[in-house]
Amino acid sequence: MAITINSINILQTYLRGVLGRANHHAGNVEGVSLALLGAIMWRADGQILVKQYAGQPANIIWFFIGTKKYVLTYNHAIQKIELKEKTHKGNILASFDNSSSYHNIITIFENL
């Protein structure tokens, strides 16, 4: 089940969880997580949803641009956040970590 992000409180709870988990086992994505969330806020024009685990927001976030659905997930094997089409198993469009430039993030999200 997913949680709709419809308040700043839910968004903050989600982000605190992501940054807390990144601090423990994925420190190479904690900075880019903030940039990606900003890019989602900039481009999303539909619902923004996060995966729910034990009643709390988890690491997967879905968003819509027009009628297209996108998802950001963390790939443990390569230690990067992946942007995918439609579902967590969808086609990978881009991968991000703390070395990703904001120019690159802007360009990718402009072209979605």
Side-chain angles (χ1 to χ4, degrees), residues 1-4 10 13-14 21 50-58:
M1 182 166 201
I3 300 170
T4 301
I10 294 171
T13 300
Y14 167 74
R21 287 183 292 277
V50 294
K51 182 178 178 181
Q52 180 174 278
Y53 180 77
Q56 295 295 315

Side-chain angles (χ1 to χ4, degrees), residues 24-86:
H24 287 284
H25 65 273
N28 57 320
V29 296
E30 63 186 344
V32 78
S33 296
L34 293 171
L36 291 171
L37 187 56
I40 291 170
M41 296 296 108
W42 166 48
R43 289 302 320 263
D45 54 16
Q47 282 188 315
I48 300 172
L49 305 149
V50 294
K51 182 178 178 181
Q52 180 174 278
Y53 180 77
Q56 295 295 315
N59 285 344
I60 298 175
I61 188 167
W62 296 272
F63 60 99
F64 292 83
I65 298 175
T67 59
K68 293 186 177 183
K69 183 178 181 182
Y70 300 95
V71 61
L72 289 175
T73 63
Y74 179 70
N75 182 323
H76 292 272
I78 63 170
Q79 298 182 340
K80 292 186 177 195
I81 295 173
E82 295 179 330
L83 172 64
K84 300 177 183 177
E85 294 178 314
K86 298 181 185 176

Side-chain angles (χ1 to χ4, degrees), residues 86-110:
K86 298 181 185 176
T87 72
H88 70 283
K89 294 182 180 181
N91 185 39
I92 299 169
L93 303 174
S95 296
F96 307 95
D97 62 17
N98 287 341
S99 69
S100 302
S101 74
Y102 70 88
H103 291 292
N104 186 37
I105 293 168
I106 290 170
T107 300
I108 289 167
F109 274 75
E110 274 181 334

